[in-house]
Amino acid sequence: MKHLKNYINGAWVAGTSDPLVVHNPATGEIIASVPKISTEGVSAAVEDADRAFRLWSKETADTRSKYLRRLYELILENEQELATTITLEQGKPLKEALGEIRYGASFVAWYSEEAKRISGEIIPASDKNKRIMVLKQPIGVVAAITPWNFPFAMITRKIAPALAAGCTVIVKPASQTPISAIKIMELVEKAGFPKGVVNLVTGEASSIGKALLGNKKVKKITFTGSTEVGKELYRNSADHVKRISLELGGHAPFIVFDDGDLQESINGALSSKFRNCGQACISSNRFYVHENILPRFVKGLIHKLKSLRQGNGLTSDTDLGPLIDRKAYQKVEEHVSDALSKGAKLEYQGEAPKIDGDSKSGYYYPPTILSGIQPHMKIYSEETFGPVIPIMAFTEEGDVVSMANDSDYGLAAYLYTRDLSRGVRVSEALEYGIVGLNDGAPSAAQAPFGGFKESGIGREGGHFGIEPFLETKYISIGL
Ligand code: ADP
């Protein structure tokens, strides 16, 4: 077993004798251990990042851009190894892992350019002898807390804009998937970033969280993860009025009108639902299908699902991997059995590779389609995070929009229609931060990613994604 290290102030720091172990979710094998950092260790890392901030924030935009560009090139040069790491610790099929690396790299490329476009304003004053100058300045030390479902891209999506803005960063990856984060640090080191600009700490989430939130020198928290933990961080950030960005859970409606392209909607359903085995915050969770086309939609989906191969992600023809752990598997099972006990119909269930009841690995949940879904079923309002398509029939546009909006979440929504007016009308009415209109894969580095309502605060991606790392300063100049 490899004993991996934290990366703090440009040095690799070993842990104590009580490390966290990392499992391969496809086999249960222990693949590595990472340190459990102490509270004092976190404080020291914040001091280092704060010291580094004084120099990094003064670098020219051009210099920051070049470091990011070098990091981008290194990611692409090492993409196969990075993708294999994701599959080993997270379970998604290798081809998807490679997609995640390229997606993650695209943020580094985008923000290496965006670093050069941070500019202020000169505003005409009301007094002849005054000038009004507005500057954008980096916020300071940023703590980035990231989830296990996209262990590579959720880090680059946060650190690239922070570094471009002139902030320094402390990354706290999910305990299940810290190895991808360590690989990023190896490339950060190779790219030659000055010491203390990017740091990585691993260990017990709540104590690291407390140490980061309780430290005045941490000026901003950027978090992707569960709504529950996000709310806790939001509450605890109040003491120092820390800036906070939250990318939380979702419960995406997927609406298919009877004037939609059936085949396209089936393809969209597959990509929005089965990417990462349904373990994505923008994964579609409730399918509203017009009653006129419901039987054809289900038949077309079943046809596609029959050809999906589920297994170890390292095997080249695997389409669907395992769920991350037993808890995740039990939640999916619970949502399906709850729906069935309340009258849903099982339209289809594939065959998953068998697991041993006591196994700590290989939690393969088979692709499943349910119809007759009702609002009182858990699956209708709770995030499933698994490969299940729960379907409800509808007839009226107005009704389906109301049902789609009846959620505490507001991250992503999808709709399929060939009627342009309806497409625009319904997209505008949906209370969601991201709408896929005839598009089942809406994420892109240049676009704003984030949610309405309890799905979060702020946006990542594009020029929107750099603002949260900047303060606005106004200088009033008397001549
Ligand atoms: P998930 O349900 O996807 O595991 P979590 O919200 O539990 O989502 O985890 C997302 C990230 O937040 C992980 O890095 C996790 O370790 C971290 N985390 C969990 N609890 C806390 C906490 N109390 N304080 C700070 N970070 C936490």
Side-chain angles (χ1 to χ4, degrees), residues 145-148 172-176 205-206 209 223-226 229 232-233:
I145 304 178
T146 58
W148 52 263
K172 203 308 271 169
S175 310
Q176 296 94 329
S206 61
F223 170 80
T224 296
S226 64
V229 173
E232 187 184 325
L233 299 178

Side-chain angles (χ1 to χ4, degrees), residues 326 354-361 363:
R326 176 190 289 264
K354 291 270 169 291
I355 60 158
D356 157 6
D358 293 327
S359 166
K360 287 193 172 50
S361 66
Y363 291 103

Side-chain angles (χ1 to χ4, degrees), residues 453-473:
K453 302 189 205 172
E454 294 185 23
S455 284
I457 297 177
R459 296 292 180 271
E460 293 183 326
H463 67 85
F464 309 90
I466 206 157
E467 274 295 322
F469 299 102
L470 296 167
E471 284 285 16
T472 300
K473 179 181 284 175

Side-chain angles (χ1 to χ4, degrees), residues 144-149 172-177 203-213 221 223-230 232-233 236 247-248 324-325 327 331 383 385:
I145 304 178
T146 58
W148 52 263
N149 59 347
K172 203 308 271 169
S175 310
Q176 296 94 329
T177 56
E204 224 259 296
S206 61
S207 76
I208 295 178
K210 259 196 204 121
L212 291 169
L213 281 154
I221 304 284
F223 170 80
T224 296
S226 64
T227 301
E228 187 194 344
V229 173
E232 187 184 325
L233 299 178
N236 296 341
E247 207 270 274
L248 309 178
I324 189 75
D325 55 25
K327 208 171 117 207
K331 185 174 185 195
E383 205 175 10
F385 248 49

